Amino acid sequence: MKKLKWGMIGGGEGSQIGPAHRLGSGLDGLLEFTAGALDHRPEQGIEYGQRLGLGDRAYGGWQEMLEAEKQRGDDKVDLVTVATPNSTHFEITKGFLEGGFHVLCEKPMTMTVEEGEEIVKIAEKTGNICAVNYGYSGYSLVRHMKAMIARGDIGKVRLVNAEFAHGHHADAADAENPRVRWRYDPALAGVSAQFADCGIHAMHMASFVTGQEVTKLSADTVSCLSQRVLEDDAMVNFRMDGGAVGRLWTSSIAIGRQHGLGIQVFGETGGLRWSQEQPNQLFYMPLNQRLQVIERGEANLSPEADRTSRVTIGHAEGMPLAFANIYTDLAEAIQARKEGRAMDPAADLYPKAVDGLRSMAAVVAVAKSGKSDGVWLDARPPMFQ
Ligand code: NAI
């Protein structure tokens, strides 16, 4: 099979998320890093791209890359990842989708619900794939958890408890640091800081593993550092369309917590618990039996877990490999389209534009509810109400 060609916007030298995308996209030999506009500073972007082997396909800006790649016909990049700051996602994603490219956009997909709906519609109209990088849904044992819940291992889901709490913005003396400050500035971050940055990962994971969508929510948001306009901590209660009750805590002032993403799902006949900092173990407690530790890579896991696990049992698989699973899914989706065949349904688990849109609607509801003493609000985007 010929390798697909992959390009990236953003993710320049020193960026936080660029390296994980390069590792993830390259891991299985399905995609080749071919083009990029990697930096908001054109010269640095070209120089870094050339150092990474992109040659004359290292571009100074995303519009330049879009126009040049369109001219290449069949030789153009097959997939473009958008890994720039949030406020640029909409225009870049829209531009590439309309230009005939498949896109993987970083989260949050857009800054507003209206933009999110527009992206969903453009993806539908053009027929191009628009995925959103809820990359943690690529972990092998998260896929296994989803499969276990779907086949009824814990019975009907009663309660989901999701967390994404870290402590890296807790230092009041560091609050004016330019890398921290913009996140709490409404002009740059939008209506929400911590929920939009981290909470949406936890909420997406709650939907992903249960197969249920969030319908309504009530939020208690707070700025623990009083000078912050936007929240640095939120507790969100929610309800899901399959009847599950949801609880979600997200924080950036939880000193001692590192990445802090985790999920627990409790059903009528069992419970499941997984934490991203120990991603190779899934804790499973069937009702009235003993606690079981499921290890990534062990025998008799679900096909969904087997196809997303590469290294033998006992060796840790981490975040870039979870991202790699999103890329493997996308490579299969793109290859199937090229060959005019149906895609492998097991690969159809990558997060889609509708997931990005649902997150934006939840972000807006959390911000509004938080300002109104936790009033319960519809959390669905208008097109799904
Ligand atoms: P960063 O600030 O570390 O890096 C951003 C990069 O984009 C820089 O190299 C910058 O030069 C480049 N850039 C900015 N504007 C550009 C433009 N118009 N054209 C081309 N390049 C441009 O940001 P970070 O932390 O890497 O975040 C990027 C995105 O990834 C954000 O949307 C963030 O929310 C998301 N993210 C997602 C994570 C996940 O787990 N899925 C984790 C961390 C970040």
Side-chain angles (χ1 to χ4, degrees), residues 296-372:
R296 184 206 53 74
E298 71 183 27
N300 302 319
L301 293 183
S302 58
E304 289 85 347
D306 289 343
R307 68 174 286 283
T308 50
S309 173
R310 295 167 186 76
V311 183
T312 49
I313 189 167
H315 303 286
E317 281 193 5
M319 180 258 230
L321 281 82
F323 280 24
N325 290 329
I326 305 291
Y327 279 104
T328 308
D329 289 350
L330 285 169
E332 162 60 15
I334 295 168
Q335 206 59 257
R337 283 163 187 241
K338 279 182 180 275
E339 293 166 17
R341 60 171 171 81
M343 75 177 288
D344 175 359
D348 199 15
L349 292 178
Y350 63 88
K352 312 208 165 48
V354 287
D355 300 306
L357 167 61
R358 286 185 192 279
S359 297
M360 276 323 298
V363 165
V364 171
V366 163
K368 275 192 189 154
S369 174
K371 284 203 180 88
S372 322

Side-chain angles (χ1 to χ4, degrees), residues 135-173:
Y136 310 117
S137 64
Y139 276 101
S140 184
L141 287 181
V142 172
R143 299 278 171 106
H144 187 62
M145 197 171 181
K146 180 179 176 66
M148 287 180 74
I149 294 170
R151 74 189 181 201
D153 287 6
I154 61 166
K156 186 173 162 49
V157 174
R158 288 173 170 157
L159 185 71
V160 185
N161 188 325
E163 274 185 17
F164 197 154
H166 67 79
H168 302 299
H169 303 157
D171 187 352

Side-chain angles (χ1 to χ4, degrees), residues 26 30 84 91 93 174-175 184 205 208 271 332 346:
L30 300 171
T84 51
E91 59 167 355
T93 298
D174 197 37
Y184 300 91
M205 189 159 285
F208 182 76
E332 162 60 15

Side-chain angles (χ1 to χ4, degrees), residues 9-18 21 37-41 61-62 82-86 88-89 92 106-108 133-136 179 183 197 201 259 319 323:
I9 313 295
E13 191 162 31
S15 69
Q16 189 187 165
I17 208 65
H21 280 288
L38 304 178
D39 204 291
H40 66 286
R41 300 158 302 180
W62 68 267
V82 180
T84 51
N86 304 355
T88 62
H89 291 177
I92 301 176
E106 262 303 345
K107 48 54 60 179
N133 192 36
Y134 290 112
Y136 310 117
R179 289 190 57 205
R183 296 170 188 275
D197 195 30
H201 275 295
H259 198 246
M319 180 258 230
F323 280 24

